[in-house]
Amino acid sequence: MDAAEPEQTPFAAVTAHTSKLQRHYQALLDQSTPFVTYRWVGTSVGLLVFFARVFLAQGWYIVAYALGIYLLNLFLAFLTPKFDPSNEAIDNEMEDGAVGTLPTKRDEEFRPFIRRLPEFKFWHSATRAIGIAFLCSWFEIFNVPVFWPVLVMYWFMLFVLTMRRQIQHMIKYRYVPFSFGKTRYSRGSTE
């Protein structure tokens, strides 16, 4: 009467379960998208917990250093425009103006600032990295003995030099990657 159902292989069962978990994870990410402040507060708390773990355990400095370098790299990608105005090769190849470059002269057309790394991807990558670093801080294999003040000084030197270069780039090509310092025009303004 009833047709016998074909048995599901173990591989198909695992694939179906991981697919279900991925959909659930993506749904949680989609629901968290509008709550920017809460997401960043949670990530900051996670970072503070990780640093407290490193401070109290007196170890895993190399993991903290690697996390710092990765977060600095993410932050620089967040500040950088998607289409770099200093890259003349892209400008010369695209004669029709398809590439969204920033205006460098007063008479050029305005194109909006588009980030190389959007805010949500920045938050998601930073949060995952902090979680992985926290997980690594529980395994002795990652506790490499190093003289931590050298790592701290080296990280600060990298931070200052890269931010100086980024700020000079922002000044040279006149772009501001944040909206809180920009002029806002009202609806009735005719300027």
Side-chain angles (χ1 to χ4, degrees):
M1 309 239 175
D2 290 324
E5 290 185 22
E7 290 188 28
Q8 190 176 18
T9 65
F11 181 72
V14 168
T15 304
H17 188 66
T18 54
S19 177
K20 180 182 174 185
L21 288 175
Q22 286 175 343
R23 282 193 310 272
H24 184 66
Y25 178 68
Q26 187 62 46
L28 288 174
L29 286 178
D30 291 343
Q31 291 171 356
S32 72
T33 302
F35 305 106
V36 177
T37 305
Y38 296 121
R39 285 190 285 122
W40 282 105
V41 166
T43 299
S44 301
V45 167
L47 187 62
L48 288 175
V49 168
F50 171 71
F51 283 141
R53 163 81 177 130
V54 169
F55 179 75
L56 295 175
Q58 296 294 310
W60 292 274
Y61 301 117
I62 211 75
V63 174
Y65 176 71
L67 176 65
I69 294 294
Y70 183 70
L71 291 177
L72 179 62
N73 186 26
L74 288 177
F75 185 61
L76 287 175
F78 177 71
L79 291 179
T80 307
K82 186 172 185 176
F83 304 107
D84 193 1
S86 65
N87 192 352
E88 295 296 324
I90 292 177
D91 292 341
N92 294 336
E93 287 177 12
M94 301 300 234
E95 295 175 8
D96 61 344
V99 176
T101 59
L102 298 170
T104 55
K105 297 180 181 74
R106 184 173 289 280
D107 59 343
E108 286 186 20
E109 178 185 350
F110 169 74
R111 295 197 176 100
F113 182 81
I114 301 171
R115 298 182 187 283
R116 181 176 294 166
L117 181 68
E119 181 271 333
F120 185 80
K121 288 183 179 180
F122 177 32
W123 167 79
H124 188 241
S125 298
T127 305
R128 280 192 324 195
I130 292 167
I132 291 169
F134 185 74
L135 185 67
C136 289
S137 73
W138 292 97
F139 295 100
E140 195 62 35
I141 194 168
F142 297 111
N143 191 9
V144 179
V146 293
F147 188 59
W148 65 267
V150 172
L151 292 178
V152 171
M153 289 302 296
Y154 186 61
W155 187 85
F156 276 116
M157 284 175 36
L158 279 175
F159 179 77
V160 167
L161 292 175
T162 54
M163 290 309 295
R164 188 176 117 218
R165 190 188 77 211
Q166 186 66 32
I167 290 170
Q168 286 174 345
H169 190 269
M170 288 167 28
I171 291 170
K172 181 178 180 180
Y173 294 101
R174 296 192 330 247
Y175 65 90
V176 179
F178 304 107
S179 60
F180 57 81
K182 295 182 180 177
T183 307
R184 295 190 185 269
Y185 297 102
S186 63
R187 226 173 185 195
S189 175
T190 59
E191 291 183 40

